Amino acid sequence: MTLKSKFDTGEFAVLAEMEPPKGADVSAFLANAKRVRGQVDAFVVPEMSNAVMRISSLGGSMILRNEGLETVLQVCCRDRNRLALQGDLLAANALGIENVMAVGGEDPSFGDHHQARAVNDIDLIELLQAIRSLQEGRDMAGIELAGSPRFLVGSTADVGAKGKSPELELSEMTKRAEAGARFFITPPVFDTALLAPYLKRIDRHKTILIPSVLLLKSLGMARYIERNMPNVAIPGALIERLQRAPDKVRECIRIAAELVSAFKSEGFKGVLLSTIGWEHKLPEVLEKL
């Protein structure tokens, strides 16, 4: 069953972030994805997340697609102008990619090529509108296409982020939905209660909210995120739980699995598992669900 079919029927979908390699050796990338074939419904392939140079999302998505794995292509405002973005989208659909996720992209100052210049020819709303225009048969210049792509379109939403006004973020989500986004992936969420203010205000039949579940690697990582990532909140009780755990890696895996189960119980239509380099741990998380 495709990701779109799962969303249409209301079945719970498991997405997993699969970071492409920084280099041409894709053996580990492929092996990690194949290891969870049948347990993950679609792999989100980031477009050089944190502005670190890697194999592109289009390249990584096609590598997985050629193995029969469903992917979500990220299209990013940061690196390409409107010509390149539209060309990549048409190429992706012609090659069998059916899901896209529009993102703004982190500033190059966060990454490993500090001399790189961000493009940002169009913003996120314009990118979503461009995808919708392509699906309606015309490019951004209004020229008719010889065949229209068909995509399930998603984007991001800072839902559950610390210090964010639910009203303001819901307003941003509405704008993105009106521009064509059907599903929204949140930052990492470690407390399901943080999403309660949003659930009261959205129609979950129309707006598909996908919480991100981040696999922590250590107590130090949890403390660092809580202190330094303004959009992610980690409850003190969870940090204390990790402090007490004799095997902290195993406890991190348990926490991730518990969060997935909690979101499923809350009626969400899916989750995104993010492992940040620990893709080899995905089977352990999924086994505990």
Side-chain angles (χ1 to χ4, degrees):
M1 183 178 284
T2 66
L3 182 61
K4 182 180 184 300
S5 297
K6 283 218 162 184
F7 286 163
D8 288 343
T9 59
E11 291 190 49
F12 190 76
V14 176
L15 292 84
E17 193 171 75
M18 194 61 62
E19 191 83 67
K22 188 178 180 68
D25 183 356
V26 299
S27 55
F29 173 68
L30 265 176
N32 287 328
K34 287 180 177 179
R35 206 170 283 129
V36 291
R37 184 196 294 270
Q39 295 174 283
V40 169
D41 295 293
F43 295 94
V44 176
V45 183
E47 180 60 273
M48 292 184 258
S49 56
N50 297 313
V52 173
M53 192 285 296
R54 295 176 177 272
I55 284 178
S56 69
S57 180
L58 179 56
S61 295
M62 278 312 306
I63 289 165
L64 297 183
R65 179 71 182 81
N66 287 340
E67 296 294 327
L69 300 168
E70 188 167 357
T71 60
V72 179
L73 170 77
Q74 275 196 357
V75 281
C76 175
C77 301
R78 179 192 60 222
D79 302 322
R80 293 171 176 80
N81 66 16
R82 66 191 66 199
L83 288 171
L85 286 167
Q86 291 177 99
D88 282 353
L89 285 160
L90 293 176
N93 200 242
L95 292 166
I97 294 171
E98 299 176 334
N99 312 304
V100 297
M101 177 182 168
V103 300
E106 299 86 352
D107 189 89
S109 61
F110 287 94
D112 59 354
H113 284 61
H114 295 160
Q115 292 177 321
R117 294 182 181 179
V119 177
N120 293 323
D121 178 33
I122 55 177
D123 62 24
L124 191 51
I125 296 295
E126 290 172 316
L127 176 54
L128 287 166
Q129 290 170 339
I131 297 170
R132 184 175 62 191
S133 179
L134 292 175
Q135 296 193 101
E136 292 172 350
R138 294 188 180 274
D139 66 14
M140 293 182 75
I143 299 169
E144 189 173 349
L145 302 175
S148 305
R150 289 289 176 266
F151 291 116
L152 171 67
V153 183
S155 190
T156 57
D158 279 342
V159 170
K162 290 188 293 187
K164 284 275 186 176
S165 160
E167 287 75 17
L168 289 176
E169 191 53 40
L170 283 165
S171 175
E172 288 299 312
M173 284 178 63
T174 299
K175 291 176 186 175
R176 294 173 193 180
E178 289 172 349
R182 187 177 174 202
F183 68 90
F184 296 88
I185 292 180
T186 76
V189 179
F190 291 92
D191 182 358
T192 59
L194 291 174
L195 300 184
Y198 299 90
L199 297 183
K200 294 175 183 177
R201 295 170 170 85
I202 65 172
D203 182 347
R204 281 196 270 181
H205 295 292
K206 295 180 180 178
T207 303
I208 300 172
L209 197 58
I210 306 294
S212 288
V213 173
L214 174 63
L215 175 62
L216 297 169
K217 299 179 180 180
S218 65
L219 174 61
M221 180 180 179
R223 285 174 169 162
Y224 178 86
I225 289 173
E226 175 58 24
R227 292 169 184 164
N228 298 287
M229 294 181 68
N231 65 332
V232 181
I234 300 184
L238 190 148
I239 291 177
E240 290 173 9
R241 175 179 167 181
L242 277 176
Q243 282 178 318
R244 295 192 303 268
D247 187 333
K248 291 177 174 45
V249 171
R250 183 172 294 178
E251 197 66 21
C252 288
I253 290 168
R254 284 199 193 100
I255 288 167
E258 288 170 12
L259 284 167
V260 174
S261 296
F263 287 125
K264 186 175 183 179
S265 298
E266 291 284 338
F268 287 89
K269 290 191 176 182
V271 294
L272 170 68
L273 283 168
S274 177
T275 53
I276 313 182
W278 269 20
E279 288 84 358
H280 62 289
K281 294 289 187 183
L282 274 171
E284 294 179 57
V285 177
L286 294 167
E287 283 166 12
K288 291 189 179 298
L289 295 182

